[in-house]
Amino acid sequence: MAERSTAAVDVADNSGNQPLTAQAAQATSDGVDTQNGRAADGPMPDKDGERTNAAPAAAPELHSGHKLARRYRLEECVTRVDGFSSWRAMDEKLRRAVGVHLMPADHARARSVLAAARSSALLGDPRFVQVLDAVEENDVVYVVHEWLPDATELTALLAAGPLEAHEAYQLVSQVSQAMAAAHREGLAHLRLTPSAILRTSTGQYRIRGLAVNAALRGITSETPQRADTEAIGALLYAALTQRWPYESDAYGLTGLPKGVGLIAPDQVRAGVHRGLGELAMRALANDGATASRQEPACTTPDELAKAVAAMPRIRPPEPAFTAPPEYQHTTYQQGNYGRPTPPGLNTVQSRPVVPPPPPLQSRTGRALKWGVAALLIAALGLGSWQLADTLLGRASQQGNSGTSNNTKPGTDDNPKPQERTALAIKGAAEYYPDDKAQDLDGVSKSYDNDSSSFWRTYRFDDGPDLGAYKEGLGLVFDLGEEQEVSAASIAFRYDGDHTTATIYAAPSLSSSTPVKSMKQIATGSTKDKQLELTTDTPVKTRYVVLWLTAMPKAPASEYSGAGYKQGISNVVFSRIS
């Protein structure tokens, strides 16, 4: 059955004739291909797709400093091509950088761009650069999306050389799994080029421009799943060989020799991982298996993801450790300082090894050993006597019921119970140093003493640890003034597997300070809905970060589908005295 999508992939872009330099190491996250300071959107033969005629409407004539919705301040125009423009902007409400696509409301593709942006926003998969807003206002259509300043385009990574086998494995694994999830929701990308793939500082690959990039250019395809699968194969081929798997040069990469056709990666570059090379050929040879491998072609991202999972795991390279230089004694340490050095000898010499002294074998030595043994026996006997006397004394003080009748409150036998004083929470905010908010409207529900209301996280497909997506997520609470924090009682929404939480002393309510620089107060895990955290040493602070690094797998609800997620219905901080 033929598939139909509103976008198609351009697998042979002719615009990348000039190689990228190392200055392209930082991604602009604008969702539009840019190369050497100009739009990489010139004439290109679209494979397995078609491009609709460009609309005559011109891009809106806006300038730096212009505000959209009295919130998004335009700062730098990144691309202006084909009737639309892309900007780096500042969200003055949330104080974070964002990307913005702009086009006139009467543009022929304005309606399709809005529809694609809203469909992409509903996916909510953190493996894609998220669409934050899609609005038509004052004769202008604009789409707002995330901006990742710490991410690097695959274009820049490939400009430095081919990827190591483990890194290429991570690339094809993460991208194929993400696109399989998108196609299950009826969304296609169709412009999976090296500039659409971003690698974050944590090693996670994220995809930008899902459905939106192709809608901006009016690209369509009858077989979107095959088009996206072939594009992933081209990315893997380029990662292994640093060559574009077509005759045309593109994205700063040299194409294959003309007239040769598609050749295996290990014939282009020596030392290519055999399994990954075969996988790239299976994704690119969509018309059938290659004659040399006799393996079925992968025609959908889901088939490609399963083929990657069936491969033997490729381990990361072992870190290289250099042995420290052998320590040498100087003449000063050898006791030769101030003495003349004979001719022909170095001033740094190896110190001779002095043999250890022989054991005590004389009459005095034997007497000393017997004396030490006698002292040890006497000490053991005294300790046993004191232990027996203590046990007998306690037994004499026990009544028929087995309880003590002579204890007093506050003594060692009956310690005084600890008093726990709850600390009032004056306010709270989300803590998201990666600029990814979860539930801003539900923050106040996390400490309102109401078990029916709660703050919730997004749903994640992998778990229970969040390492595949981010370092963690959570909330920061304001206690009004500096308080001694000794404990925390946290009521969660879901149970099952395990939830791991840590509380830190934060300098402020801002989410820009990483937790690794904060003082840890306490940490723990739970398999039910309640977690008690305590510390022996109270920490004095006004702001406390509650940081989640693992979440249970929960069923579908009215808020989200089944997956790894959590909610916080009540938090109480205490001082123990």
Side-chain angles (χ1 to χ4, degrees):
M1 179 180 295
E3 304 168 277
R4 180 74 180 176
S5 174
T6 58
V9 66
D10 51 332
V11 295
D13 192 340
N14 291 325
S15 63
N17 295 325
Q18 301 180 16
L20 291 178
T21 63
Q23 295 178 352
Q26 183 173 354
T28 60
S29 294
D30 63 302
V32 177
D33 298 335
T34 55
Q35 200 167 309
N36 295 325
R38 62 184 179 84
D41 203 32
M44 63 182 74
D46 290 324
K47 187 177 180 63
D48 192 24
E50 59 183 5
R51 179 188 295 268
T52 59
N53 293 331
E61 291 297 333
L62 301 179
H63 54 81
S64 298
H66 182 87
K67 284 187 182 181
L68 300 172
R70 293 184 297 180
R71 174 176 178 175
Y72 305 112
R73 186 181 72 248
L74 303 181
E75 293 190 342
E76 179 186 2
C77 183
V78 178
T79 303
R80 190 184 299 274
V81 64
D82 206 10
F84 70 92
S85 60
S86 298
W87 295 74
R88 176 176 59 83
M90 174 61 64
D91 183 349
E92 295 186 337
K93 183 176 180 180
L94 297 179
R95 293 178 299 174
R96 63 179 180 181
V98 294
V100 178
H101 299 308
L102 282 165
M103 64 168 43
D106 58 352
H107 195 288
R109 297 193 289 268
R111 302 277 77 77
S112 61
V113 168
L114 281 175
R118 290 165 181 171
S119 299
S120 177
L122 290 176
L123 181 61
D125 193 320
R127 293 172 291 191
F128 295 91
V129 174
Q130 298 295 299
V131 172
L132 306 176
D133 210 349
V135 179
E136 178 180 355
E137 181 182 62
N138 297 331
D139 298 328
V140 173
V141 168
Y142 61 89
V143 176
V144 183
H145 60 85
E146 285 183 294
W147 185 277
L148 307 179
D150 65 334
T152 305
E153 283 186 4
L154 181 61
T155 311
L157 297 177
L158 296 180
L163 301 186
E164 181 268 331
H166 173 73
E167 193 65 30
Y169 173 82
Q170 292 295 324
L171 166 68
V172 68
S173 175
Q174 295 182 31
V175 173
S176 61
Q177 291 178 18
M179 288 309 306
H183 278 282
R184 283 193 293 268
E185 300 297 330
L187 293 174
H189 193 291
L190 309 184
R191 279 190 61 84
L192 279 174
T193 62
S195 57
I197 308 300
L198 305 176
R199 186 183 187 277
T200 66
S201 56
T202 60
Q204 176 189 359
Y205 285 95
R206 299 187 65 181
I207 305 171
R208 66 183 177 190
L210 177 65
V212 176
N213 277 11
L216 285 168
R217 294 164 176 80
I219 300 174
T220 61
S221 174
E222 294 292 341
T223 56
Q225 294 208 46
R226 286 185 56 177
D228 280 344
T229 305
E230 185 172 350
I232 300 173
L235 294 176
L236 177 58
Y237 193 102
L240 296 172
T241 64
Q242 203 185 9
R243 297 285 292 270
W244 193 238
Y246 302 99
E247 292 184 355
S248 302
D249 299 344
Y251 312 109
L253 301 172
T254 305
L256 298 179
K258 297 185 183 300
V260 176
L262 182 62
I263 56 179
D266 54 5
Q267 298 179 8
V268 177
R269 175 177 167 268
V272 171
H273 188 278
R274 181 177 179 181
L276 292 176
E278 293 179 358
L279 200 65
M281 295 297 289
R282 292 175 63 185
L284 285 168
N286 274 329
D287 294 331
T290 59
S292 59
R293 304 305 183 193
Q294 298 300 321
E295 292 287 346
C298 298
T299 59
T300 67
D302 187 62
E303 291 179 0
L304 183 58
K306 291 178 180 178
V308 175
M311 289 180 56
R313 184 179 178 184
I314 301 177
R315 297 186 177 275
E318 294 292 336
F321 294 100
T322 57
E326 183 179 356
Y327 180 74
Q328 293 180 330
H329 293 276
T330 63
T331 55
Y332 177 78
Q333 292 169 318
Q334 294 173 358
N336 297 327
Y337 181 74
R339 300 180 185 178
T341 303
L345 292 181
N346 296 328
T347 58
V348 179
Q349 301 176 4
S350 299
R351 186 175 184 178
V353 179
V354 180
L360 297 176
Q361 296 179 353
S362 63
R363 181 181 301 174
T364 303
R366 287 194 296 270
L368 181 60
K369 288 189 289 184
W370 281 109
V372 172
L375 288 175
L376 290 175
I377 293 172
L380 290 173
L382 180 60
S384 302
W385 176 79
Q386 288 179 342
L387 177 61
D389 181 67
T390 302
L391 295 175
L392 290 174
R394 289 185 178 178
S396 65
Q397 294 177 358
Q398 300 295 319
N400 292 332
S401 62
T403 59
S404 176
N405 298 323
N406 298 320
T407 58
K408 296 181 180 180
T411 63
D412 293 339
D413 293 332
N414 188 21
K416 183 179 179 181
Q418 293 179 329
E419 295 182 359
R420 179 174 291 197
T421 304
L423 306 177
I425 298 176
K426 304 298 183 181
E430 278 208 18
Y431 179 78
Y432 50 95
D434 60 350
D435 286 341
K436 177 62 178 176
Q438 303 290 312
D439 182 14
L440 294 175
D441 296 333
V443 172
S444 61
K445 301 176 184 178
S446 64
Y447 61 95
D448 59 358
N449 294 317
D450 184 0
S451 60
S452 63
S453 63
F454 56 91
W455 169 85
R456 62 187 178 88
T457 70
Y458 280 115
R459 170 183 61 84
F460 298 90
D461 293 330
D462 295 331
D465 296 325
L466 295 174
Y469 301 103
K470 55 176 66 186
E471 295 182 5
L473 50 85
L475 301 168
V476 56
F477 298 90
D478 183 6
L479 304 180
E481 60 182 358
E482 285 196 345
Q483 305 271 6
E484 286 190 347
V485 179
S486 306
S489 178
I490 308 167
F492 292 109
R493 175 71 173 175
Y494 307 106
D495 56 9
D497 290 342
H498 71 275
T499 299
T500 302
T502 307
I503 54 175
Y504 296 90
S508 66
L509 276 177
S510 172
S511 61
S512 60
T513 305
V515 295
K516 64 181 66 175
S517 65
M518 302 180 187
K519 181 176 180 59
Q520 178 177 311
I521 302 175
T523 185
S525 297
T526 182
K527 291 186 177 181
D528 51 30
K529 295 183 179 181
Q530 190 69 29
L531 177 61
E532 301 292 335
L533 301 177
T534 59
T535 179
D536 295 333
T537 305
V539 177
K540 196 170 186 180
T541 182
R542 174 177 175 178
Y543 304 99
V544 181
V545 165
L546 172 57
W547 189 238
L548 302 179
T549 53
M551 302 187 300
K553 190 169 186 178
S557 65
E558 66 273 22
Y559 301 102
S560 61
Y564 293 91
K565 56 185 177 180
Q566 189 55 278
I568 298 176
S569 59
N570 200 45
V571 177
V572 177
F573 299 106
S574 305
R575 178 177 64 252
I576 299 177
S577 57

